Amino acid sequence: MNSTHRQIAVIGGGLSGICTAYFLAAKGYEVAVIERRAHVAEEATFGNSGLLAPGAAMPLTLPGAFATFACRFKEEPRVLLASGADFVRNRWMRHTRQAQQQRFAANKLRLTRLSAYGQELTLQLQAHHGMEHENSNGVFHLFRLPAEAARMPQMQEAAQQSELRFKALDTAAIRQLEPAFSSEAALAGALHYPDDIAGNAVLFAKQMRNAAQALGVAFHFGANVKAIQPEFGGRVALEIESPHLAGRMMVDGVVLAAGMQTTELLRAHDTPVPLRALQSWSALVPIKNPDDAPNMALFDDSYKVAMTRLGNRLRITGLLGFVPPSQTIPPKALRNLLKIAGDYYPNAANYNQAHFWANTIPVLPSGLPLFGPTRHGNVFVNVGHGVTGWAAAVASARVLADMVAGEEPELDPAGFTPRDLAAG
């Protein structure tokens, strides 16, 4: 370890920031989390799908620019787009398509291994700290379109290499495992992962904050970091707007787990991070017929929508959009979320009583998270886990803490680091 008394600032109070702070504090670092909101887990983490699922973990890539552009004119688009030309957006989407076509198998294997490590760590943390949870076992990964189902062999290969249990199913077999499943939904393929888990990621994040505080982590809310500046002598200066903190904080190192703000803070240091802000929408609906409600989670690959049961509630999360953040949720998003849930579980819930919310999630063209040191040796990043990235966020936090401490991580970070991103 470099030193048990080094001071580390973590910018961002979402799941990745909280877990990074926890693992650093467990190694003896003095850690402060700086969060611009009033509480933890109020941005991307709040919109997490609740999947703790290495088998169903997918690099979040989207259709190519022209295919997605056509979705704008459909009543049930797979991706929502703002009107007007956006050449930066189209270029970014072409990069996602290239990643899907050229590197999907390798990226899927990397993400599966990372998520399996994160699932193991999460279960250990829940047991060690006696955390409350709403975990359920088993996840169905469904494919509506043949082009998406064509990737199933690569996904099965990743599961085999990661020693995950899985089984390919048809609709009748799904119904045997999940009697509430509607056989009316047309599918091109499906995989079942019995050891994948679904739960409440926000509840976990809040309990991890308590665990981090017990290790001495300080949380500063309502504090906005305006700039970071590596200084001579190996320290980093933070310029902060806050009614509670001084305007300048000096630390030995900083971890940027601040979503899109990460890009802004690094831009001044000629360190490009090609994150793109996507909108994701969620709904929480009360279950009306428990026998018609699912017991296992489901992930619809075509619409990037997850459904998880949390007690007497059904949570529907996903559906992405290249639209400006807004408190007003697009009507198409509202209809699509409920339509997708109704395709599979039409009699499960009072869908007309749904509560909706929107989140902004930062995503890289590869669809993979990014963590590790930047070219400034004491400035680190941990971002881009996506709406299904609970397990990956926990794993990346642990691996990053090992890297900060100069220790050999238990999991190889190759493919996830800023150095890998720069190499293309």
Side-chain angles (χ1 to χ4, degrees):
M1 178 174 180
N2 294 346
S3 169
T4 58
H5 301 293
R6 291 188 69 202
Q7 297 173 320
I8 305 292
V10 177
I11 304 174
L15 186 57
S16 59
I18 297 166
C19 292
T20 300
Y22 172 89
F23 288 121
L24 286 169
K27 293 179 179 294
Y29 286 98
E30 181 182 337
V31 185
V33 175
I34 303 171
E35 167 58 44
R36 60 186 176 183
R37 298 274 192 161
H39 303 283
V40 298
E42 287 202 339
E43 295 195 29
T45 298
F46 193 78
N48 188 279
S49 67
L51 294 184
L52 190 65
M58 293 282 285
L60 184 56
T61 53
L62 301 173
F66 295 106
T68 304
F69 181 82
C71 291
R72 178 185 300 157
F73 305 103
K74 297 181 180 179
E75 284 302 309
E76 299 170 7
R78 295 165 59 201
V79 179
L80 273 65
L81 298 180
S83 59
D86 187 334
F87 298 107
V88 175
R89 176 191 68 196
N90 290 349
R91 183 171 63 249
W92 188 93
M93 291 171 69
R94 283 195 294 271
H95 291 162
T96 74
R97 188 177 188 181
Q98 291 171 1
Q100 185 178 48
Q101 293 175 336
Q102 301 171 12
R103 298 186 295 278
F104 175 80
N107 287 347
K108 166 59 181 169
L109 179 58
R110 288 190 181 104
L111 188 59
T112 297
R113 287 174 171 167
L114 182 72
S115 299
Y117 183 45
Q119 184 195 59
E120 178 185 355
L121 289 171
T122 300
L123 295 177
Q124 289 174 359
L125 288 165
Q126 288 178 331
H128 178 73
H129 293 288
M131 294 180 180
E132 297 179 9
H133 61 79
E134 296 177 292
N135 293 356
S136 62
N137 293 324
V139 174
F140 295 106
H141 191 163
L142 308 184
F143 305 86
R144 295 182 185 237
L145 301 179
E148 291 154 354
R151 299 199 304 269
M152 285 175 59
Q154 296 169 315
M155 298 179 63
Q156 292 169 310
E157 177 66 19
Q160 290 172 339
Q161 292 192 39
S162 302
E163 300 182 346
L164 303 180
R165 292 196 299 152
F166 70 93
K167 189 173 183 179
L169 305 176
D170 58 18
T171 303
I174 295 174
R175 195 171 179 82
Q176 283 187 327
L177 289 173
E178 183 66 271
F181 186 82
S182 171
S183 59
E184 299 301 318
L187 297 177
L191 292 170
H192 176 241
Y193 298 94
D195 300 323
D196 276 7
I197 294 171
N200 191 329
V202 175
L203 176 62
F204 175 72
K206 291 179 177 178
Q207 293 179 108
M208 280 300 294
R209 174 201 171 177
N210 296 336
Q213 286 181 312
L215 292 176
V217 176
F219 284 80
H220 302 288
F221 296 103
N224 190 22
V225 177
K226 304 298 292 183
I228 61 171
Q229 183 59 56
E231 302 275 334
F232 290 109
R235 305 204 84 197
V236 182
L238 309 182
E239 295 181 15
I240 303 173
E241 285 185 351
S242 168
H244 311 294
L245 295 175
R248 187 175 175 86
M249 176 185 290
M250 296 294 297
V251 292
D252 297 305
V254 61
V255 177
L256 301 177
M260 290 304 301
Q261 190 185 11
T262 298
T263 297
E264 299 167 12
L265 291 172
L266 289 176
R267 186 176 291 118
H269 303 284
D270 195 27
T271 305
V273 178
L275 289 168
R276 179 80 191 195
L278 300 184
Q279 294 302 295
S280 174
W281 296 280
S282 302
L284 193 66
V285 296
I287 289 173
K288 66 176 180 179
N289 296 316
D291 291 342
D292 293 326
N295 292 306
M296 286 181 271
L298 176 154
F299 182 69
D300 182 317
D301 193 86
S302 297
Y303 287 93
K304 305 295 186 286
V305 167
M307 278 164 274
T308 58
R309 181 172 179 174
L310 300 175
N312 62 355
R313 301 155 296 159
L314 186 64
R315 178 164 172 158
I316 313 158
T317 306
L319 192 65
L320 303 173
F322 286 90
V323 296
S326 172
Q327 297 298 317
T328 302
I329 301 176
K332 283 185 178 181
L334 304 183
R335 291 197 302 268
N336 276 11
L337 284 175
L338 300 186
K339 185 267 180 189
I340 293 163
D343 282 348
Y344 300 119
Y345 305 111
N347 302 313
N350 290 312
Y351 293 113
N352 60 345
Q353 298 179 20
H355 294 277
F356 297 94
W357 64 96
N359 292 276
T360 299
I361 59 171
V363 181
L364 288 167
S366 67
L368 296 178
L370 180 73
F371 55 90
T374 67
R375 64 189 187 89
H376 303 284
N378 53 355
V379 177
F380 301 81
V381 297
N382 191 7
V383 292
H385 300 88
V387 73
T388 60
W390 177 357
V394 177
S396 67
R398 172 59 188 272
V399 174
L400 181 59
D402 292 338
M403 297 169 79
V404 172
E407 301 172 1
E408 186 72 23
E410 292 183 324
L411 183 135
D412 185 358
F416 298 105
T417 70
R419 179 179 297 177
D420 297 314
L421 179 66

